[in-house]
Amino acid sequence: MSLLIIGKNGFLGKSISLTCQLLKINYFSFSREDWKHFLKHEPSKWLKDNGVTTIIFAAGYSKRFKTFEINSIKEPSLLSKCLSLNLRLVYLSSSLVYGKQKNESLSSLKENLICSPTGEYGFYKKIIEDFVLSHNSQNCVLRLSSCIGNEKSSGLLKVINEKVVQTSGKFIEMMHANTTRDYLYIENASKMIIEIANNKDCSGIFNIGSGKGYSVDYIIREFEKFYNLKPRKIKFGKQMEEDPLKHVLNMSKTNGYLNKTLKKEIFEQNQIKLYLSKNKK
């Protein structure tokens, strides 16, 4: 039994491939271009001969976008070809599909909630999810929280590093509001993804996150402590229209499919402190 990872050069795909290697799990990994070339030959025979039973699709569009950019997104055609092979497929989606819940006091987001995406990206991902799940009852959709790691060139932690570590001044001025998010270090995300992908009993939707909420002001203070910086006052901006104030994943369903060692390893860790310790220069 082997896994096939599509998107080996991306932030997630690269980490999943490396984690498979470290855990000595049989796998193959292709870039998008590798996959296009591969499909020109006899893909079904090769997959069967090499014992590939599950495809992890990590080549999806991973950035927020506006409607005028839709024609540049090539994911659907690539995904449809993967689905046509009729293997079990694990699709890496985003927790942004949940959008803003009517009851914003919800402590955490469960997979059975009605999704109400408010931005183009979340709406798009929800449509792709439905497409994947309707194609094969064995397929999985993994809704990932915000994955963090030193190779990610964008995101809140990059902004905080610039504002807190690289910039001096009386205040720390943040563009957006003091929201709370679920963050998960990339290596932990990869281990969880592989655990679900290797379990044939897993199908449907699963959350992939830490189950903990980290507010922006908390993260800023952790950066200050880590770099031995004097705390400064923080000025926050307005809440982004498409983002909820609190966005934390309920991990009870996913936890039921993780081994005890992995659960302890991941959920007893502070993901922000882990990120800082891994990225110490």
Side-chain angles (χ1 to χ4, degrees):
M1 173 179 166
S2 297
L3 299 174
L4 174 61
I5 302 156
I6 309 297
K8 71 176 183 180
N9 295 328
F11 179 58
L12 276 165
K14 188 182 295 184
S15 178
I16 295 168
S17 298
L18 179 58
T19 303
C20 281
Q21 184 179 341
L22 293 173
L23 297 176
K24 297 182 179 179
I25 291 172
N26 293 329
Y27 78 100
F28 299 92
S29 58
F30 290 165
S31 67
R32 295 184 184 207
E33 292 306 313
D34 292 337
W35 184 245
K36 290 177 183 178
H37 179 73
F38 170 73
L39 289 173
K40 295 178 181 178
H41 301 284
E42 296 183 58
S44 297
K45 183 179 185 305
W46 184 91
L47 293 167
K48 183 178 180 180
D49 290 345
N50 286 281
V52 174
T53 56
T54 299
I55 297 173
I56 298 177
F57 192 84
Y61 200 81
S62 59
K63 297 179 181 179
R64 299 193 192 199
F65 60 88
K66 296 299 180 183
T67 52
F68 67 83
E69 299 174 276
I70 194 70
N71 289 329
S72 65
I73 299 175
K74 308 301 180 185
E75 177 186 357
S77 60
L78 182 64
L79 180 61
S80 64
K81 290 176 181 177
C82 290
L83 291 170
S84 69
L85 296 168
N86 291 318
L87 292 178
R88 178 169 170 265
L89 187 135
V90 175
Y91 178 75
L92 306 189
S93 185
S94 167
S95 62
L96 287 175
V97 300
Y98 288 114
K100 289 184 177 181
Q101 295 293 314
K102 290 183 178 179
N103 181 8
E104 285 214 68
S105 64
L106 283 171
S107 59
S108 58
L109 302 166
K110 293 184 178 181
E111 291 89 343
N112 61 357
L113 288 174
I114 295 174
C115 293
S116 304
T118 49
E120 291 88 344
Y121 181 74
F123 186 78
Y124 163 79
K125 281 293 184 183
K126 182 62 174 66
I127 292 173
I128 296 293
E129 284 186 1
D130 293 344
F131 179 53
V132 169
L133 293 175
S134 65
H135 191 275
N136 187 329
S137 61
Q138 292 183 314
N139 287 346
C140 286
V141 162
L142 306 188
R143 290 175 176 166
L144 276 77
S145 63
S146 298
C147 292
I148 53 179
N150 66 331
E151 291 190 10
K152 195 168 187 179
S153 59
S154 62
L156 176 64
L157 272 65
K158 179 177 182 291
V159 172
I160 289 178
N161 183 69
E162 293 170 350
K163 299 277 187 179
V164 176
V165 182
Q166 300 177 21
T167 306
S168 60
K170 190 175 181 180
F171 299 100
I172 297 170
E173 296 192 43
M174 300 300 295
M175 184 179 296
H176 302 299
N178 184 25
T179 54
T180 297
R181 292 286 179 273
D182 189 323
Y183 290 95
L184 183 64
Y185 190 67
I186 185 66
E187 291 178 6
N188 289 337
S190 298
K191 290 176 183 178
M192 295 172 76
I193 291 167
I194 292 167
E195 188 85 355
I196 296 295
N198 265 332
N199 189 333
K200 290 185 177 180
D201 292 331
C202 291
S203 60
I205 302 169
F206 292 86
N207 284 335
I208 302 292
S210 68
K212 298 177 183 177
Y214 299 94
S215 63
V216 179
D217 60 349
Y218 168 80
I219 298 172
I220 289 173
R221 297 310 179 203
E222 287 300 316
F223 267 74
E224 289 174 330
K225 285 190 286 185
F226 185 80
Y227 289 102
N228 296 313
L229 300 171
K230 183 179 179 180
R232 290 180 281 165
K233 292 183 179 180
I234 308 169
K235 289 184 176 180
F236 289 103
K238 294 182 179 180
Q239 180 183 359
M240 290 180 69
E241 185 177 348
E242 62 186 89
D243 284 1
L245 282 172
K246 188 174 182 181
H247 192 87
V248 182
L249 300 184
N250 183 303
M251 294 304 299
S252 57
K253 178 182 177 182
T254 304
N255 285 350
Y257 292 90
L258 303 180
N259 66 68
K260 291 182 180 180
T261 302
L262 182 57
K263 282 193 283 190
K264 184 176 181 181
E265 180 182 343
I266 293 176
F267 297 115
E268 291 184 5
Q269 293 176 325
N270 181 303
Q271 302 300 307
I272 304 303
K273 291 182 178 180
L274 177 62
Y275 168 86
L276 289 167
S277 66
K278 291 280 189 178
N279 292 278
K280 187 174 182 179
K281 295 181 180 179

